[in-house]
């Protein structure tokens, strides 16, 4: 049983566990609370907070997630008290003289981070804001100031916006949490970059990724487990198409959760995996669900819930639940809900998941035959304004007007309106990249367009100053140069291929073939990878 108390006005959760004492201080703030122009702010603050701890004999760390940030450690009672007191003290007196040093460390961390399959799913679902920001690199680092960090600490890392958890039945002696007053922050409302679902998009990847947003409830977690069993049986054991066939169930914090499923595939098996994946989803949707699968999920749930460490193990999630207003069920109550789940209940979640589904399909394939619509890669309108010719193609032009910018040909356009611009990346050489809230990006390169004097300044003036982010100078070989027109893509390939980009110099993805006369490749969506959880271990 999880007990609740408080320490200096901070809600505190207690549940005894074996082994070294573990504790964490969780705040209701994360990457979804930032903007693309301030992306990296919470992670930067986390690094600055932990700097004072330096080398230690006990294990401590921090993690910045989508809606919560954790400071956690394990050690003796004395260690716990020292660490948590130190975290609170550091939040009130951040080592801001290390601001630029820690920015460099974060960039190094990002450069070494391995992108995962499906990292771009949030971007395609939500666009370039709130929950979609976890798909992007921390683009705001270069513009963040000491005042930005100080204000973020004062307004987000507060007593009412925190929950303490400890694997003990009592609070360690001498523990004090000196935090400023401040209201609990509401969970961000999700945006959407998908006008229609179910939808799909393509990338060069070694498998198929499915995700769906469903109401957060016990039966939804059961559905995720049943889906995984079905995937393993049909795609690995019976079909022999996949080695990895797995699912995850991740609460979003607003009463909904994301069910994500992944099945890997070699190039010659990708078509079979896609077909098998779609078939098994359809099977669950029409209620062809094995009672044996449901029974197996129940047995595993009971084994987990009966474990003596269950309450201690779920403390971090329990803290998130408190911060986001979700009830924490006792183990027995949760088990009762699992036992009550029927095949019909699981089918209902399968229908719900199918309605909100987003599918990542290997490049060269599509899912329209299965009822999925292509996720948007073009804008529905173009800006009215002056046209500036491409130096490479007479079929494509840059359009700049009072409302924003477009790159357009006779029938397609990619557009970012100033009022809907999430960030404008600016390079000293005059290059600009405007990224809209929907994730669509327009690149303005003086080397590629016949850009007159003063146009770049006019674009900068149209963007909100808060969203203009200056980037480090590019090396000469990183500045795009005119090339010979490229041949149009084969007719059999209906959509541009997407790939995640990581380096600061290549921080945007736009299909450059668009300015070379490849009409259907004119449309592009920015995809910049980042680890959703930003662990610092």
């Amino acid at each position: 049983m999880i007990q609740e108390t408080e320490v200096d006005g901070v809600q505190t959760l207690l549940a005894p566990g074996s082994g070294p004492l573990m504790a964490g201080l969780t705040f209701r703030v994360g990457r979804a609370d930032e903007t693309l122009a301030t992306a990296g702010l919470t992670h930067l603050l986390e690094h600055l907070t932990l700097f004072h701890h330096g080398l230690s004999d006990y294990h401590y760390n921090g993690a910045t997630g989508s809606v919560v940030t954790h400071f956690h450690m394990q050690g003796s009672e004395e260690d716990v008290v020292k660490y948590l007191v130190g975290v609170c003290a550091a939040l009130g007196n951040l080592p801001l003289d290390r601001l630029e040093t820690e920015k460099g460390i974060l960039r190094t961390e990002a450069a070494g981070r391995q992108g995962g399959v499906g990292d771009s799913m949030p971007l395609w679902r939500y666009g370039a804001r709130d929950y979609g920001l976890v798909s992007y690199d921390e683009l705001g680092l270069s513009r963040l100031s000491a005042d930005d960090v100080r204000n973020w600490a004062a307004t987000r890392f507060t007593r009412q916006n925190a929950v303490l958890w400890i694997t003990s039945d009592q609070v360690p002696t001498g523990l004090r949490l000196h935090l400023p007053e401040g209201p609990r922050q509401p969970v961000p409302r999700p945006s959407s970059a998908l006008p229609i679902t179910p939808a799909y998009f393509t990338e060069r990847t070694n498998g198929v990724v499915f995700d769906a947003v469903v109401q957060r409830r016990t039966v939804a977690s059961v559905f995720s487990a049943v889906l995984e069993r079905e995937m393993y049986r049909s795609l690995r054991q019976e079909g022999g198409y996949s080695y990895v066939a797995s699912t995850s169930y991740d609460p979003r914090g607003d009463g909904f959760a994301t069910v994500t499923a992944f099945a890997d595939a070699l190039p010659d098996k990708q078509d079979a995996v896609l077909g098998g994946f779609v078939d098994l989803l359809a099977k669950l949707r029409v209620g062809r669900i094995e009672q044996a699968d449901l029974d197996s999920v129940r047995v595993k749930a009971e084994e987990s819930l009966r474990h003596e460490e269950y309450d201690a193990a779920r403390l971090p999630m329990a803290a998130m639940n408190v911060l986001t207003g979700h009830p924490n069920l006792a183990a027995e109550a949760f088990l009762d809900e699992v036992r009550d789940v029927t095949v019909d209940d699981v089918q209902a979640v399968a229908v719900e998941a199918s309605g909100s589904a987003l599918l990542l399909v290997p490049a060269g394939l599509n899912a329209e035959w299965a009822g999925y619509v292509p996720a948007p890669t073009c804008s529905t309108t173009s800006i009215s304004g002056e046209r500036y010719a491409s130096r490479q193609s007479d079929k494509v032009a840059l359009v700049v007007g009072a409302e924003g910018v477009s790159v357009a040909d006779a029938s397609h356009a990619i557009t970012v309106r100033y009022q809907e611009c999430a960030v404008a990346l600016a390079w000293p050489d005059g290059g600009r990249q405007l990224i809209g809230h929907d994730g669509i990006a327009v690149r303005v390169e003086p080397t590629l367009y016949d850009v007159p004097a003063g146009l770049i300044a006019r674009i900068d003036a149209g963007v909100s100053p808060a969203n203009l982010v200056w980037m480090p100078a590019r090396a000469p070989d990183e500045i795009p140069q005119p090339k010979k027109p490229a041949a149009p893509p084969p007719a059999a390939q209906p959509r541009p291929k997407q790939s995640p980009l990581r380096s600061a110099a290549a921080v945007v993805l736009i299909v450059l073939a668009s300015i070379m006369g490849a009409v259907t490749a004119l449309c592009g969506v920015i995809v910049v990878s980042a680890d959703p959880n930003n662990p610092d271990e």
Side-chain angles (χ1 to χ4, degrees):
M1 177 77 69
I2 294 178
Q3 303 175 40
E4 185 169 337
T5 183
E6 69 172 46
V7 176
D8 289 330
V10 176
Q11 283 186 267
T12 301
L13 307 179
L14 303 173
S18 60
L21 191 67
M22 291 185 289
L25 190 58
T26 304
F27 293 90
R28 218 310 291 146
V29 61
R31 292 208 60 185
D33 296 283
E34 302 168 350
T35 67
L36 194 53
T38 63
L41 175 55
T42 312
H43 194 194
L44 176 60
L45 189 150
E46 174 216 314
H47 268 235
L48 290 166
T49 302
L50 294 178
F51 169 72
H52 287 301
H53 292 275
L55 296 175
S56 174
D57 293 332
Y58 53 83
H59 177 75
Y60 71 89
N61 213 331
T64 302
S66 180
V67 296
V68 292
T69 296
H70 303 274
F71 296 97
H72 54 90
M73 64 85 60
Q74 67 177 29
S76 66
E77 280 198 13
E78 183 180 356
D79 293 336
V80 166
V81 171
K82 181 179 179 181
Y83 174 76
L84 294 175
V85 169
V87 165
C88 294
L91 286 168
N93 186 27
L94 293 166
L96 295 174
D97 58 314
R98 285 188 56 83
L99 190 66
E100 296 306 318
T101 300
E102 293 297 338
K103 288 180 181 181
I105 292 173
L106 291 182
R107 293 188 184 100
T108 302
E109 179 184 337
R113 189 180 298 131
Q114 297 295 318
V117 177
D119 280 356
S120 58
M121 300 295 282
L123 183 156
W124 285 83
R125 179 174 292 281
Y126 302 109
R129 51 185 169 176
D130 50 76
Y131 300 93
L133 295 182
V134 298
S135 291
Y136 288 85
D137 281 333
E138 295 166 337
L139 301 181
L141 287 178
S142 62
R143 75 176 296 273
L144 293 175
S145 68
D147 283 343
D148 292 328
V149 178
R150 190 183 295 111
N151 292 337
W152 200 244
T155 57
R156 297 317 197 269
F157 291 81
T158 64
R159 180 177 292 116
Q160 289 79 10
N161 205 38
V163 169
L164 170 68
W165 58 267
I166 309 172
T167 58
S168 173
D169 56 4
Q170 61 184 2
V171 176
T173 302
L175 178 59
R176 303 301 304 271
L177 302 176
H178 296 297
L179 292 168
E181 298 287 330
R184 180 159 296 170
Q185 297 294 323
V187 176
R189 296 183 61 182
S191 56
S192 177
L194 295 174
I196 301 175
T197 55
Y200 82 96
F201 68 100
T202 64
E203 280 184 0
R204 292 191 179 277
T205 183
N206 65 341
V208 175
V209 183
F210 163 94
D211 84 16
V213 175
V214 297
Q215 293 182 61
R216 183 183 178 185
R217 58 200 193 281
T218 299
V219 63
S221 64
V222 172
F223 163 76
S224 178
V226 169
L227 174 60
E228 181 170 272
R229 287 182 61 83
E230 181 65 44
M231 289 171 58
Y232 188 87
R233 179 171 52 244
S234 62
L235 299 179
R236 176 167 172 169
Q237 291 184 321
E238 296 176 0
Y241 307 136
S242 298
Y243 175 72
V244 177
S246 62
T247 65
S248 65
Y249 175 80
D250 302 300
R252 196 168 64 183
D254 64 342
F256 290 83
T258 302
V259 176
T260 304
F262 168 67
D264 63 356
L266 294 172
D268 62 336
K269 299 290 186 181
Q270 290 177 351
D271 200 359
V273 168
L274 175 59
F277 206 109
V278 169
D279 287 347
L280 70 88
L281 289 171
K283 174 183 174 182
L284 299 181
R285 190 170 61 249
V286 299
R288 292 172 53 200
I289 298 165
E290 302 292 334
Q291 183 65 45
D293 286 340
L294 183 53
D295 293 340
S296 177
V297 170
R298 285 178 178 149
V299 169
K300 287 188 174 182
E302 184 156 4
E303 290 174 351
S304 173
L305 292 165
R306 296 296 187 196
H307 196 282
E308 62 181 8
E309 299 288 324
Y310 172 75
D311 284 329
R314 71 187 181 108
L315 281 172
M317 179 55 71
M320 176 180 170
N321 288 344
V322 171
L323 289 167
T324 58
H326 189 81
N328 277 316
L329 292 179
E332 195 61 42
F334 180 71
L335 184 56
D336 287 342
E337 290 194 356
V338 172
R339 288 170 176 156
D340 289 342
V341 173
T342 67
V343 166
D344 288 343
D345 295 331
V346 177
Q347 179 190 4
V349 179
V351 172
E352 180 187 8
S354 296
S356 66
L358 177 63
L359 198 62
L360 167 55
V361 174
L365 302 177
N366 73 75
E368 293 177 58
W369 56 272
Y372 291 76
V373 300
T377 56
C378 283
S379 303
T380 56
T381 59
S382 178
I383 292 295
S384 297
E386 295 294 324
R387 299 177 67 88
Y388 303 97
S390 165
R391 299 185 190 278
Q392 300 179 117
S393 172
D394 58 4
K395 298 180 181 179
V396 178
L398 171 69
V399 185
V400 179
E403 294 182 350
V405 298
S406 296
V407 172
D409 65 7
S411 55
H412 298 83
I414 51 175
T415 297
V416 177
R417 298 182 183 277
Y418 294 137
Q419 289 188 343
E420 299 170 1
C421 181
V423 73
L425 304 176
W427 285 270
D429 55 66
R432 297 293 185 267
Q433 181 77 17
L434 277 64
I435 304 169
H437 287 147
D438 57 4
I440 297 291
V442 173
R443 188 168 184 170
V444 180
E445 294 286 358
T447 52
L448 301 181
Y449 295 98
D450 188 11
V451 174
L455 180 65
I456 299 301
R458 182 150 57 94
I459 292 173
D460 290 349
V463 176
S464 168
N467 294 335
L468 185 63
V469 175
W470 282 93
M471 305 299 291
R474 295 186 287 189
D477 61 353
E478 295 173 334
I479 300 173
Q481 299 297 327
K483 299 178 182 178
K484 295 180 180 180
Q493 181 177 312
R495 296 168 56 76
K497 298 177 181 179
Q498 309 288 336
S499 62
L501 301 178
R502 300 203 58 83
S503 71
V507 76
V508 292
L509 172 61
I510 186 169
V511 186
L512 292 179
S514 66
I515 61 171
M516 302 174 191
V519 175
T520 61
L522 177 65
C523 309
V525 176
I526 179 169
V527 178
V528 183
S529 299
D531 183 349
N533 294 316
N534 281 331
D536 292 321
E537 322 190 83

